[in-house]
Amino acid sequence: GVQAQTETVWRAIRNTDGGGAKTTKTNENDSDSSNNKNQSAHGSHAHEPLPALMFINKMDREGADFRHAIDTVKRKLRGSNPVVVQLPLYRVHNHGRVETITNNDNGKGKSSSSSVLGEDIVAGSLNDSPPHGDFVGLIDLVHMRAIIYPPNIESLSMEEAVPSVIPLLHSNIQEGNPSLVKAALDGRRELISNLADVDEIMGDLYLFAMEHEENENHENDSSYCPILDNISTEEIQLSLRQMTLSRMIMPTLCGAALRGVGVEPVLDCVAEYLPCPLDRLPPQLRMLGNNNNNNNNNAQQHGKKQKQKLPEKDDSNSPICTLGHPFHPSTLAYVFKVLHMKGRGGSGDGRVAFARVYSGTLKARDSVRVISPGNSGVSDNEGKNKKQKHPVERIGGMLELSGGRFDNLTEGSCRSGDVCALVGLKGVVTGDTLLLTSAASSSDGSTNSKKKSAKKNNNDAHWKQYMDGVHLAGLTSPKPVLTIRVEATSSSEQSRLSSALALLTVEDPSLVVEETPTTTLISGLGELHMEIVLDRLRREFGVEVRTGKPAVTYRETVSLEDGEEVETDGMVEYDRTVGGVRLQGAVQLRLRRHADSRPGHECIPPEDPVVTLSPETRTYFNLDPNVASSDDESEHKYPPPLRALLSGVRGSLKRGRLGPYPLANLECQIMDVDSELSSQDTLPGAMRAAAANAVNTLLEALANEDRMLILEPKMNVEIYVPTGRVGDVLSDLTVRRGAVDDVAMAEEGGGTSDHVKSMVRAEVPLIEILGYANSLRSLTGGEGAFSAEYKGHAPQDGV
């Protein structure tokens, strides 16, 4: 239902489950459209892309142009295919008198409908400019009906604000306002034509109707329409739903949400055209990191059996669907948002966790296991730390989600596909997975034979093993690109500042806080992000802070061609005596581009360096040379000298040669290691120092060859500027080292506003647009606006 679709919108906004989905609300003056996200900048996506509707809002504003808004979406949202399913209705005051058609029929609704749809009601068109009048309702092209809202609806009660629904194909309506009916028929014909372009079945129906129009003579029958007579409303609805689910079209609606005009049809379209949980694929599940490969493999094989093996008809105990499917009996929930509401949460800080239940049922007072994906790979063989890493908590209660009210539910229950607000979970954060403490399996209580009982126990054992080692993909946030130093106005406020920042980091995973005894640094995704955090500190927590100058996060890398590798000149020897202790060792290293990074100087998010071991190095430390080192291998099992060796390499890669910037997008392989002592007798400090010396030697040689590059964060910028000031903005972007990607000039006569705006897309370094809002206002006389989104890091140029 609607709650499931609400969660779908949340998933689209945070952009971790769906890739390329857009949920758009736009009009001529305010275009709040979803940009195409850089998938690598926002983490991997575990779900299929999402379909969408488009709602053109604020149609009651002066100068709102339905046609121009659709043309703008087509121009700015490349690849979108808006299909109009509604037309706006206007009351034109200077059109003439309102006709009231009366008759002797006692049928209700005929005279009132005719009076409501008098000649002063005019429909908006996709071919002409909007009429000058008041926005009063809309035409539903699917059901061929007009929906007229009473005037001053925002001040009416719920009973008085009911709109009038008038069928347009009634004979009285066709006689009273024929131009309105003609506009509706033309819009319906255009709707079917657009569906025929993407739907093969609708295309056949459309061609069949056209053949009837050509072969039959209906010149004297003005009411005849082959499209209307041969294609039913049910066929149109089916085609709209199928094409929306396949993301071939984006049904477009209109209204004025603040006044409540057009809201009910939006909810109807959500239920009719957008997917319910049964239409979606179950979420991808990940197994917890386990050092016992046999257990991990068994769990994975069991998960595969669920997807591939169907149960026999006489076996009611076999699972019939995968975990996460709405019909699966086991409870699986995902925490997609955490807020702190004073007086609401059961914990001391008022923490409220918003969760979406994928399968099963979640109830108040249930005990759940909280699994954080970031901690899923650490546990010992005996599982002693499992409860510590994945604690069990008890749900204190549930809150009813009703607009801005959050009322307590005495017997709260949330079923699959619904969204709930949970209180009393003290350690939950955004991206956590919630599982019931006991694995659930289907049972009917009628298994009397030993064979069925043994099979049930076997299923229970498999389910317990599976449930103990599964979780959903957590929320992946880009690395911060801007850092600001903050300090409290007094020493007494410092503790309040630390507590407030701790709560904010729980709510916002993209916010990073670093506290030292002398300084506090907050890092985020841009200037606007930092401004919001500082505003929340003052407004919600009452903490006044002083801020320093923003610092941009730079990285360093090595200029390497595709497939190119650089390495040290043989073994790099290190031999020092420190405090009477001799530190001796020799290390050989090789650098190459990270496997996930793309060749060339593209703008991509930076990845931390990856350190691997060669077979020779593994042999030196008595490890299996045929096993490739990976993240799944537990490094705490390594001997101390090897752990010190890895620590020395990683520590040295955190500081480049051109500045105090960590390196990125590199893979460092330890080719060989040697020492006068055996691997067991080698001092860890000697290995750490030898590794650091080898890295510094290699980086110094690359710096002397001018192969070291500084990577700076780049932003995708969209600037909305009056057409007459586009040249000034482009010149300013050139000075700021910006690269202009596209300029969408406003079409002449495209809108009725006095200040028609064009849009400039550009890629600009973050350091160059700090404080850009003031500069843009000066360039455009206060009429310009811009939005910026982090794209990635690219080599610094033009400095």
Side-chain angles (χ1 to χ4, degrees):
V2 175
Q3 287 182 325
Q5 299 302 330
T6 304
E7 167 57 7
T8 301
V9 175
W10 275 102
R11 287 161 42 195
I13 292 175
R14 65 187 178 90
N15 206 30
T16 61
D17 291 328
K22 307 178 188 70
T23 301
T24 307
K25 181 186 289 187
T26 181
N27 59 50
E28 180 203 7
N29 300 320
D30 300 285
S31 180
D32 184 16
S33 60
S34 300
N35 300 324
N36 292 329
K37 306 295 184 183
N38 187 334
Q39 180 172 350
S40 60
H42 294 271
S44 59
H45 306 304
H47 288 259
E48 55 183 326
L50 301 174
L53 301 175
M54 183 173 70
F55 179 67
I56 300 180
N57 193 19
K58 303 177 184 178
M59 289 297 299
D60 56 339
R61 286 194 176 185
E62 183 70 24
D65 192 336
F66 184 70
R67 177 194 62 170
H68 181 63
I70 295 177
D71 294 340
T72 303
V73 170
K74 292 180 180 179
R75 186 171 64 253
K76 294 182 179 180
L77 296 182
R78 301 184 182 94
S80 64
N81 184 18
V83 172
V84 176
V85 297
Q86 294 178 356
L87 290 178
L89 286 178
Y90 300 90
R91 175 172 282 110
V92 182
H93 299 286
N94 58 353
H95 191 278
R97 66 182 183 87
V98 179
E99 289 191 5
T100 302
I101 301 177
T102 59
N103 50 61
N104 296 326
D105 197 340
N106 293 328
K108 294 183 180 180
K110 293 186 178 181
S111 61
S112 60
S113 300
S114 302
S115 62
V116 171
L117 280 183
E119 289 187 350
D120 61 336
I121 302 298
V122 181
S125 173
L126 297 180
N127 301 319
D128 303 323
S129 299
H132 296 282
D134 298 330
F135 178 69
V136 295
L138 52 94
I139 293 178
D140 184 353
L141 299 178
V142 178
H143 300 88
M144 287 300 291
R145 59 190 180 188
I147 303 177
I148 306 296
Y149 290 81
N152 302 322
I153 185 176
E154 61 274 8
S155 60
L156 300 179
S157 63
M158 183 180 299
E159 291 77 10
E160 297 173 340
V162 177
S164 301
V165 181
I166 306 167
L168 294 178
L169 299 182
H170 198 281
S171 58
N172 287 354
I173 304 301
Q174 297 182 19
E175 296 174 1
N177 198 334
S179 60
L180 181 66
V181 177
K182 182 179 182 303
L185 292 175
D186 293 341
R188 185 181 176 93
R189 177 190 290 265
E190 183 69 19
L191 168 62
I192 297 175
S193 176
N194 291 332
L195 291 175
D197 293 337
V198 294
D199 187 359
E200 183 177 354
I201 298 179
M202 182 58 68
D204 295 339
L205 294 175
Y206 183 80
L207 294 177
F208 178 78
M210 290 297 96
E211 292 178 358
H212 273 257
E213 185 179 26
E214 295 176 357
N215 297 333
E216 299 182 13
N217 184 14
H218 293 275
E219 296 180 355
N220 298 327
D221 187 2
S222 59
S223 63
Y224 175 75
C225 178
I227 300 296
L228 182 63
D229 292 349
N230 292 279
I231 300 179
S232 65
T233 299
E234 291 75 15
E235 291 170 334
I236 296 177
Q237 288 179 300
L238 180 61
S239 179
L240 277 171
R241 178 174 175 80
Q242 292 177 346
M243 293 301 101
T244 303
L245 295 181
S246 61
R247 296 179 292 111
M248 300 296 295
I249 63 172
M250 190 163 56
T252 302
L253 306 91
C254 62
L258 187 62
R259 294 176 49 206
V261 178
V263 175
E264 298 88 349
V266 171
L267 299 179
D268 292 339
C269 288
V270 167
E272 292 176 4
Y273 306 136
L274 291 183
C276 72
L278 297 178
D279 297 316
R280 309 296 295 165
L281 293 177
Q284 286 187 0
L285 304 177
R286 297 183 180 180
M287 305 304 299
L288 296 179
N290 195 325
N291 297 327
N292 190 340
N293 293 331
N294 293 331
N295 291 340
N296 203 6
N297 292 336
N298 291 338
Q300 291 177 353
Q301 292 174 2
H302 179 70
K304 293 179 181 178
K305 290 180 181 179
Q306 294 181 59
K307 298 180 181 179
Q308 298 175 0
K309 184 178 179 181
L310 294 176
E312 299 178 0
K313 293 182 180 180
D314 59 346
D315 185 8
S316 60
N317 295 322
S318 298
I320 61 174
C321 50
T322 60
L323 181 65
H325 191 279
F327 288 159
H328 198 280
S330 300
T331 300
L332 177 71
Y334 178 81
V335 179
F336 62 88
K337 185 68 174 177
V338 173
L339 291 178
H340 293 87
M341 302 180 182
K342 294 181 180 180
R344 292 294 184 184
S347 56
D349 55 7
R351 184 174 303 185
V352 178
F354 293 84
R356 186 252 174 100
V357 179
Y358 281 93
S359 62
T361 303
L362 200 62
K363 300 179 180 179
R365 308 300 177 185
D366 276 348
S367 295
V368 295
R369 184 181 300 278
V370 181
I371 299 181
S372 298
N375 298 330
S376 61
V378 182
S379 62
D380 56 12
N381 283 337
E382 298 176 359
K384 294 180 180 180
N385 295 331
K386 181 174 289 187
K387 290 186 179 180
Q388 180 181 359
K389 294 298 180 182
H390 310 299
V392 175
E393 298 191 31
R394 188 180 183 89
I395 299 176
M398 288 188 180
L399 301 181
E400 181 182 6
L401 302 178
S402 178
R405 304 195 315 270
F406 296 91
D407 301 327
N408 292 315
L409 296 176
T410 55
E411 298 293 336
S413 176
C414 185
R415 295 178 295 178
S416 59
D418 289 344
V419 176
C420 57
L422 309 176
V423 298
L425 301 178
K426 301 180 180 180
V428 68
V429 297
T430 304
D432 284 353
T433 301
L434 303 181
L435 304 174
L436 290 183
T437 53
S438 59
S441 61
S442 58
S443 62
D444 57 359
S446 61
T447 56
N448 297 323
S449 66
K450 294 182 179 180
K451 181 178 180 180
K452 289 188 177 182
S453 179
K455 183 176 293 186
K456 178 179 183 299
N457 294 334
N458 187 33
N459 285 337
D460 290 344
H462 279 289
W463 272 118
K464 187 176 188 307
Q465 182 185 29
Y466 188 60
M467 292 291 290
D468 285 344
V470 69
H471 67 92
L472 293 166
L475 182 64
T476 307
S477 299
K479 295 183 180 298
V481 297
L482 191 67
T483 302
I484 295 180
R485 176 180 176 178
V486 296
E487 61 180 17
T489 55
S490 63
S491 57
S492 60
E493 293 287 318
Q494 184 62 39
S495 60
R496 294 182 57 199
L497 174 62
S498 300
S499 302
L501 290 176
L503 296 180
L504 291 178
T505 54
V506 171
E507 297 183 11
D508 185 3
S510 62
L511 178 66
V512 178
V513 178
E514 299 179 20
E515 288 189 284
T516 65
T518 57
T519 60
T520 301
L521 302 177
I522 59 174
S523 304
L525 302 180
E527 190 176 15
L528 179 60
H529 187 195
M530 294 291 93
E531 291 177 357
I532 293 175
V533 171
L534 296 176
D535 178 69
R536 292 191 63 187
L537 285 175
R538 289 188 290 265
R539 179 169 43 85
E540 298 181 13
F541 300 95
V543 179
E544 295 292 336
V545 296
R546 292 190 292 264
T547 60
K549 185 178 180 181
V552 174
T553 303
Y554 292 97
R555 305 294 287 267
E556 284 190 39
T557 191
V558 180
S559 177
L560 296 173
E561 299 297 333
D562 190 17
E564 183 183 3
E565 298 178 344
V566 293
E567 60 182 67
T568 58
D569 187 10
M571 303 286 285
V572 179
E573 185 76 20
Y574 182 84
D575 194 350
R576 299 286 189 277
T577 301
V578 180
V581 179
R582 185 188 179 195
L583 303 178
Q584 188 276 331
V587 180
Q588 182 181 4
L589 300 176
R590 174 186 293 168
L591 282 179
R592 57 174 172 259
R593 183 186 294 115
H594 195 284
D596 294 336
S597 62
R598 287 171 279 182
H601 292 169
E602 296 185 16
C603 184
I604 59 175
E607 296 289 342
D608 293 332
V610 176
V611 182
T612 59
L613 304 176
S614 67
E616 293 78 9
T617 303
R618 298 181 64 87
T619 302
Y620 179 82
F621 289 102
N622 300 323
L623 298 176
D624 187 359
N626 298 323
V627 178
S629 59
S630 63
D631 296 336
D632 296 334
E633 193 173 22
S634 299
E635 293 186 4
H636 71 277
K637 287 186 175 182
Y638 288 166
L642 179 53
R643 295 204 301 267
L645 178 70
L646 295 172
S647 175
V649 173
R650 290 167 179 161
S652 299
L653 291 175
K654 291 183 179 180
R655 184 179 180 89
R657 310 305 298 175
L658 302 180
Y661 314 126
L663 277 81
N665 302 333
L666 294 174
E667 180 180 341
C668 180
Q669 186 177 33
I670 304 176
M671 300 297 297
D672 201 358
V673 180
D674 193 13
S675 177
E676 295 181 358
L677 302 177
S678 64
S679 61
Q680 291 82 4
D681 299 331
T682 302
L683 294 177
M687 286 289 97
R688 184 181 292 106
N693 179 60
V695 173
N696 294 333
T697 301
L698 180 56
L699 294 182
E700 186 68 31
L702 293 173
N704 294 334
E705 298 175 5
D706 293 333
R707 303 191 65 177
M708 300 295 296
L709 300 174
I710 294 181
L711 303 178
E712 63 177 351
K714 296 290 187 72
M715 309 293 286
N716 279 330
V717 180
E718 288 188 358
I719 307 172
Y720 300 90
V721 55
T723 303
R725 303 295 182 92
V726 171
D728 298 336
V729 172
L730 294 179
S731 300
D732 182 68
L733 289 177
T734 303
V735 175
R736 298 176 183 271
R737 300 187 289 122
V740 178
D741 297 332
D742 183 26
V743 179
M745 301 294 293
E747 300 177 0
E748 294 184 2
T752 59
S753 175
D754 295 335
H755 303 284
V756 178
K757 293 183 179 180
S758 300
M759 186 184 67
V760 178
R761 289 191 182 96
E763 180 183 307
V764 189
L766 174 60
I767 190 65
E768 299 291 348
I769 60 171
L770 295 179
Y772 183 61
N774 295 330
S775 302
L776 183 61
R777 281 193 290 266
S778 300
L779 288 173
T780 61
E783 297 181 4
F786 82 102
S787 62
E789 179 190 9
Y790 171 67
K791 180 180 182 182
H793 277 61
Q796 189 180 52
D797 55 357
V799 180

